Amino acid sequence: MRENLLDAAVVRFAAEGIAATSTAKIASDAGVTAAMVHYYFKNRESLLDAVAEERLLTNVESVWTPVAEGETRAVDLVRGLVRRIMHAAQTQPWLPTLWLREVVSDGGQLRGRLLSRLPLAHVHKLISSLGEAQHRGELNPEVEPRLVMISLIGLTLLPLATMNIWRSVPPLKSITRQELARHAEALLLHGLFPRTSKPGRHR
């Protein structure tokens, strides 16, 4: 039941925002009474902490852990990050919108909760790996390694979160998530590693 309540919460938070979502709405979506929400989460703050820790942070860890455990080449780090971000967003469609609403946007109620838990050591590894690749002449010399993570988010989560908007434009209406993933990977890899990257097509 607790997992069902968290699932209902993230979907409703992504659709309407945390400020506009009452406990009663979450309970209704989960098919229980509001008292059941309070049974598992003593107050609203504990619910938000659980969403940050058990829904957002688990996704962050699934995206970044391979950076620490196995991937070493800069091109593989970037390719892996793009593919894992897109996979997380595909399996959990609420993720991009919730990230944009409550983490990226000013006043987002999950920003502080998440930023304090981010695996910054993994981010530093990415930046260091990119810097070394640039020193070896593999990375585009005009690229700023410290900004690559921001570009990753901008080419993956942002277009996914705004898909309903840009898909209203006729030429973009038929674009699929797979095409978006391939596009993001190609832009990043060819832009960052023009001589060494071979993105290939997603299955």
Side-chain angles (χ1 to χ4, degrees), residues 40-138:
Y40 287 101
F41 307 99
K42 61 181 180 180
N43 54 40
R44 191 173 180 82
E45 294 302 307
S46 66
L47 172 62
L48 297 184
D49 286 340
V51 166
E53 182 77 31
E54 300 175 37
R55 289 298 181 268
L56 287 181
L57 189 61
T58 53
N59 278 289
V60 171
E61 290 175 343
S62 70
V63 167
W64 282 96
T65 296
V67 172
E69 293 183 346
E71 295 166 334
T72 54
R73 291 198 315 153
V75 64
D76 294 331
L77 290 174
V78 173
R79 180 185 289 117
L81 285 168
V82 172
R83 293 185 177 183
R84 289 191 296 275
I85 290 172
M86 297 302 292
H87 176 72
Q90 181 177 3
T91 57
Q92 297 161 105
W94 51 265
L95 180 60
T97 308
L98 184 61
W99 188 277
L100 191 64
R101 275 184 182 273
E102 303 296 344
V103 178
V104 175
S105 298
D106 287 340
Q109 295 190 40
L110 298 176
R111 179 187 291 185
R113 289 175 167 85
L114 192 65
L115 291 182
S116 64
R117 297 173 168 90
L118 287 180
L120 296 181
H122 304 344
V123 178
H124 288 310
K125 178 180 177 180
L126 172 65
I127 294 172
S128 176
S129 179
L130 290 168
E132 292 169 3
Q134 198 169 51
H135 182 72
R136 294 192 300 268
E138 298 170 4

Side-chain angles (χ1 to χ4, degrees), residues 127 144-152:
I127 294 172
E144 171 50 65
R146 293 171 296 176
L147 294 175
V148 170
M149 186 184 73
I150 297 173
S151 298
L152 278 165

Side-chain angles (χ1 to χ4, degrees), residues 1-10 26-27 30 32-33 36-37 40-41 47:
M1 180 55 67
R2 187 177 185 279
E3 295 298 305
N4 289 340
L5 288 169
L6 285 174
D7 289 340
V10 293
I26 295 172
V32 299
T33 64
M36 188 64 72
V37 180
Y40 287 101
F41 307 99
L47 172 62

